[in-house]
Amino acid sequence: ADYYHLVPGDIREQGRHRHFIEPRQVAVYLCRHLTDRSFPVLGQKHFGRDHSTIVHHYNRARRRYDNDDLFRRRVDQIRGVFDG
């Protein structure tokens, strides 16, 4: 949330505003990679969404990570905060 100048609640919002989509996808992608949480748990407990929506966010982020250098650098920069 800090990286995108948002508060954590913004990422969990139900809206589909474009401003929140990338941060939400990155959050799902990183949660999946940095924790052992399943898609249903991530959806239900952390994002207030159905697991199929979480899978969609994850898949979109994974494809972008694999194909978009700028997106990959952003994700890696955010991940670096957690890797310490």
Side-chain angles (χ1 to χ4, degrees), residues 4-55:
Y4 291 100
H5 307 288
L6 301 171
V7 295
D10 290 339
I11 293 173
R12 292 188 292 267
E13 284 292 319
Q14 295 295 329
R16 294 182 182 182
H17 192 275
R18 185 178 198 111
H19 185 69
F20 302 123
I21 292 173
E22 181 174 308
R24 190 177 300 136
Q25 289 174 352
V26 170
V28 168
Y29 182 83
L30 289 175
C31 283
R32 186 72 170 141
H33 282 274
L34 299 174
T35 72
D36 60 352
R37 306 278 172 140
S38 67
F39 288 122
V41 169
L42 288 174
Q44 189 175 36
K45 294 193 177 202
H46 299 289
F47 293 94
R49 287 174 163 68
D50 184 76
H51 82 280
S52 62
T53 303
I54 298 304
V55 170

Side-chain angles (χ1 to χ4, degrees), residues 61-78:
R62 184 179 46 83
R63 279 192 300 273
R64 284 190 69 192
Y65 188 87
D66 291 344
N67 298 306
D68 182 336
D69 290 335
L70 179 59
F71 183 79
R72 183 180 318 110
R73 284 193 301 269
R74 276 187 246 158
V75 170
D76 289 345
Q77 185 177 12
I78 296 167

